[in-house]
Amino acid sequence: MTQENTLLNVKDVAGMLNIGVSTVWRHAKSGNIPKPLRVGGSVRWRKSALEEWVKQQETA
């Protein structure tokens, strides 16, 4: 899997954004962060989508 296709779990996202796990879920539910994917019974975020979102937040 290439870096752009890397999938992150909620703990990875929380660490990347320096926020708590419950805050990740709250932001996901309200649409403040990129929408996660369902992979089987798991929820994952594309690392590339989160990195792009972070860049957009920095320039906003």
Side-chain angles (χ1 to χ4, degrees), residues 3-5 7 10-11 16 21-22 27 29-33 36 40 46-48 50-51 55-56 58 60:
Q3 172 114 12
E4 66 186 39
N5 292 328
L7 298 177
V10 68
K11 288 183 181 179
M16 179 180 174
V21 169
S22 60
H27 285 315
K29 185 176 180 180
S30 66
N32 291 336
I33 62 173
R46 289 186 197 277
K47 184 176 183 181
S48 59
L50 286 168
E51 289 173 337
K55 286 180 190 175
Q56 290 173 357
E58 291 172 348

Side-chain angles (χ1 to χ4, degrees), residues 32-52:
N32 291 336
I33 62 173
K35 221 174 170 178
L37 307 169
R38 292 235 175 242
V39 181
S42 301
V43 177
R44 299 288 187 262
W45 283 261
R46 289 186 197 277
K47 184 176 183 181
S48 59
L50 286 168
E51 289 173 337
E52 183 62 32

Side-chain angles (χ1 to χ4, degrees), residues 13-32:
V13 174
M16 179 180 174
L17 300 179
N18 199 28
I19 59 177
V21 169
S22 60
T23 305
V24 172
W25 290 121
R26 189 169 52 248
H27 285 315
K29 185 176 180 180
S30 66
N32 291 336

